[in-house]
Amino acid sequence: KQEVTQIPAALSVPEGENLVLNCSFTDSAIYNLQWFRQDPGKGLTSLLLIQSSQREQTSGRLNASLDKSSGRSTLYIAASQPGDSATYLCAVDPGGYNKLIFGAGTRLAVHP
Amino acid sequence: DTAVSQTPKYLVTQMGNDKSIKCEQNLGHDTMYWYKQDSKKFLKIMFSYNNKELIINETVPNRFSPKSPDKAHLNLHINSLELGDSAVYFCASSRDPNYGYTFGSGTRLTVV
């Protein structure tokens, strides 16, 4: 049974720091992995999607890597800003089941 | 130009009532989903529909009945509401899992 774990559960940093959020999954047979951002009381915004055959994806200050063999993904946020404050969710698509399995998220606070 | 829209955004109701949540997507996606986010913030799949046909039902009580009148709509009807049904319900859609998932902004259901 696929399980997704995110570490740390919460993170508070000063503006300008580079951050790494971690996601691990127990079954390496995944279709893809997707990182989302959730703002309080709001929906989920897709940040990056990494296919199982890819190693990383980049969008602006965000970079996500995927190591299927070790069951890990990291989300790197460069030069963090207060506007980055949100909960970041990692989700894996186990393939063939039409569903995502989510981690519990990392709650990020970036203070000025 | 909202991609996945849900109504209502907030729903407060008494135990025992029946309520519905509506979802519509204008992305032309074939598959739609309902996810539940509980008080611990875990997001879990409830249902998945492909071209109006149910393909996933993740051991959800049969008080919950999804209905898909066409592939752009997936509504969730809940009978005999219980306190434990209080959660945020998210609708999502996908064209193909290879392209990731798009989520709505959620419906916060509170049963009193």
Side-chain angles (χ1 to χ4, degrees):
Chain A
K1 178 186 170 190
Q2 178 72 270
E3 291 182 1
V4 180
T5 304
Q6 291 187 247
I7 294 172
L11 188 58
S12 180
V13 299
E15 184 176 5
E17 277 204 6
N18 300 325
L19 310 171
V20 175
L21 308 182
N22 296 293
C23 172
S24 61
F25 44 96
T26 53
D27 187 341
S28 62
I30 64 169
Y31 211 46
N32 59 47
L33 184 145
Q34 198 164 356
W35 282 93
F36 294 89
R37 168 186 172 138
Q38 184 174 22
D39 292 278
K42 301 261 178 87
L44 276 67
T45 302
S46 178
L47 297 173
L48 291 164
L49 170 70
I50 312 177
Q51 304 291 352
S52 61
S53 58
Q54 296 174 323
R55 299 284 294 192
E56 66 176 348
Q57 284 285 344
T58 299
S59 175
R61 293 181 296 107
L62 304 180
N63 175 278
S65 67
L66 174 64
D67 184 343
K68 266 183 57 176
S69 60
S70 66
R72 293 183 185 187
S73 176
T74 58
L75 179 66
Y76 177 81
I77 303 176
S80 58
Q81 303 171 357
D84 294 330
S85 299
T87 296
Y88 290 81
L89 295 164
C90 167
V92 301
D93 185 339
Y97 299 98
N98 285 101
K99 66 181 181 182
L100 286 174
I101 299 172
F102 282 85
T106 293
R107 193 170 62 255
L108 173 65
V110 181
H111 48 87
Chain B
D1 60 344
T2 304
V4 180
S5 58
Q6 299 178 225
T7 54
K9 190 171 174 60
Y10 300 98
L11 184 55
V12 181
T13 187
Q14 291 187 327
M15 277 196 317
N17 283 352
D18 303 338
K19 290 293 178 186
S20 291
I21 306 172
K22 296 186 176 181
C23 179
E24 175 182 4
Q25 54 95 3
N26 62 3
L27 298 166
H29 289 171
D30 289 331
T31 309
M32 295 185 71
Y33 312 80
W34 279 108
Y35 282 79
K36 178 180 179 181
Q37 187 173 41
D38 60 25
S39 57
K40 294 182 180 177
K41 305 299 183 187
F42 258 108
L43 266 155
K44 288 186 180 175
I45 182 78
M46 298 174 68
F47 298 103
S48 166
Y49 266 74
N50 181 270
N51 276 321
K52 303 192 300 176
E53 289 194 21
L54 178 68
I55 53 176
I56 290 180
N57 179 340
E58 288 280 306
T59 61
V60 177
N62 57 15
R63 295 183 297 103
F64 290 78
S65 52
K67 289 205 169 37
S68 183
D70 55 61
K71 76 173 193 176
H73 295 84
L74 180 62
N75 304 323
L76 183 64
H77 188 77
I78 315 170
N79 289 328
S80 304
L81 277 155
E82 300 177 358
L83 292 176
D85 297 332
S86 296
V88 182
Y89 293 84
F90 285 97
C91 178
S93 71
S94 68
R95 179 175 84 184
D96 178 301
N98 266 322
Y99 296 91
Y101 297 73
T102 302
F103 280 76
S105 57
T107 295
R108 181 174 294 278
L109 171 66
T110 304
V111 183
V112 297

